[in-house]
Amino acid sequence: MKVPDIIIAIDGYSSTGKSTFAKLISKDFGFLYLDSGALYRGVTLFALESGFIKDGDIDLERLIPALDGLDIHFEDGSKTYMGQRCIESEIRTLEVSGSVSPIAAIPQVRCYVDKKLREFGEKGRIVMDGRDIGTTVFPNAQLKIFMVADDNVRAQRRYDEMVAKGETPDFEEVLKNLKERDHIDSTRETSPLRQAEDAFVMDNSDMTLHEETVWMRGILQGRFGILDPRA
Ligand code: DC
């Protein structure tokens, strides 16, 4: 039996490997993968380029009205666009990463992003990752997963990614940044990062990608009686 037209919501802390896992299962099941953080990153890029963020201060009086005319969307499957421009690499820079958590804490920005995410969810057959997908965006998602991993393991993953990109990070700085982001994401007033009560928790501190796939197939079998997701 094939996986039905469901929404799979994957939430969790930064650098727990949510997007890698979400991409893996979307490929395995033939679902569309959508990265909700990319929309928050797109709004952040827009705010930086428009001069709405100066020395860490966000000009809310200019940013909030500008959201009305802001066109950030996904195209070609899962690529992020601002108008006609593909912004997939610009939204992954350190500058954007450094400003995105405060932008994602603004209620009007969350409302803007949630509306777009829900439009994508109408047809089902999507795997979406983020911080509040199973709690706020799709509280009725048929399958919710909450990912956690040890702080040092997560920082090491982030560190290795940065080294692979040719950067020269300091491990302690990476760890500090990760904890700061977790703190902002889980203590903000609107839709803080938290585990949905009906989510399956995956601690992947010591898991390989193959083990994650096996874990997921176990969940599918237990929950939906599905042995082979594509058969
Ligand atoms: O997953 P990411 O690092 O690309 O997310 C970027 C930021 O957006 C991060 O600070 C958390 C925030 N975010 C959020 O608040 N809610 C989501 N559903 C997805 C991301």
Side-chain angles (χ1 to χ4, degrees):
M1 190 171 69
K2 227 168 74 168
V3 182
D5 294 351
I6 59 170
I7 293 175
I8 302 178
I10 302 181
D11 291 304
Y13 294 93
S14 298
S15 298
T16 43
K18 296 186 297 294
S19 67
T20 308
F21 178 61
K23 279 181 202 157
L24 196 81
I25 57 177
S26 67
K27 219 167 144 208
D28 206 16
F29 301 176
F31 275 29
L32 179 65
Y33 162 65
L34 294 176
D35 165 12
S36 66
L39 296 188
Y40 289 104
R41 289 173 176 272
V43 175
T44 307
L45 179 70
F46 166 73
L48 285 165
E49 289 183 344
S50 308
F52 297 163
I53 306 179
K54 292 235 170 73
D55 302 324
D57 288 332
I58 303 167
D59 187 341
L60 293 178
E61 284 185 13
R62 289 166 74 208
L63 173 63
I64 291 168
L67 292 173
D68 278 340
L70 180 60
D71 172 22
I72 297 176
H73 61 273
F74 296 113
E75 248 179 64
D76 306 337
S78 309
K79 292 213 176 76
T80 318
Y81 276 71
M82 191 187 314
Q84 309 220 313
R85 172 180 157 213
C86 179
I87 53 169
E88 201 46 50
S89 57
E90 284 102 319
I91 59 172
R92 313 280 167 198
T93 61
L94 269 182
E95 197 190 10
V96 170
S97 298
S99 297
V100 65
S101 282
I103 289 281
I106 301 168
Q108 290 87 343
V109 170
R110 300 205 72 80
C111 191
Y112 168 87
V113 169
D114 286 357
K115 188 164 172 274
K116 291 188 178 284
L117 296 177
R118 289 189 184 119
E119 282 166 13
F120 281 109
E122 272 165 19
K123 293 187 211 96
R125 297 192 78 74
I126 58 165
V127 181
M128 190 178 285
D129 75 344
R131 305 294 192 288
D132 64 340
I133 307 305
T135 51
T136 304
V137 183
F138 296 120
N140 297 325
Q142 294 86 343
L143 189 53
K144 301 179 188 177
I145 293 160
F146 192 78
M147 294 180 63
V148 298
D150 175 82
D151 289 354
N152 281 297
V153 171
R154 293 190 292 133
Q156 188 66 51
R157 287 179 188 155
R158 183 83 196 99
Y159 177 91
D160 292 343
E161 266 170 29
M162 293 168 90
V163 169
K165 279 194 206 160
E167 296 167 24
T168 47
D170 173 64
F171 181 82
E172 290 306 320
E173 270 299 310
V174 174
L175 182 63
K176 189 167 151 250
N177 178 271
L178 202 102
K179 288 184 177 174
E180 270 168 16
R181 289 181 60 193
D182 286 348
H183 180 72
I184 299 176
D185 293 339
S186 41
T187 56
R188 67 175 173 235
E189 268 184 41
T190 314
S191 309
L193 163 67
R194 67 179 170 78
Q195 183 193 324
E197 276 176 19
D198 51 349
F200 292 93
V201 179
M202 178 204 278
D203 181 342
N204 68 0
S205 304
D206 297 311
M207 284 169 86
T208 62
L209 280 182
H210 177 68
E211 285 166 340
E212 291 186 13
T213 313
V214 172
W215 180 91
M216 186 64 189
R217 284 176 182 251
I219 299 274
L220 279 181
Q221 193 180 343
R223 181 79 185 250
F224 301 103
I226 293 166
L227 286 175
D228 181 351
R230 299 205 80 151

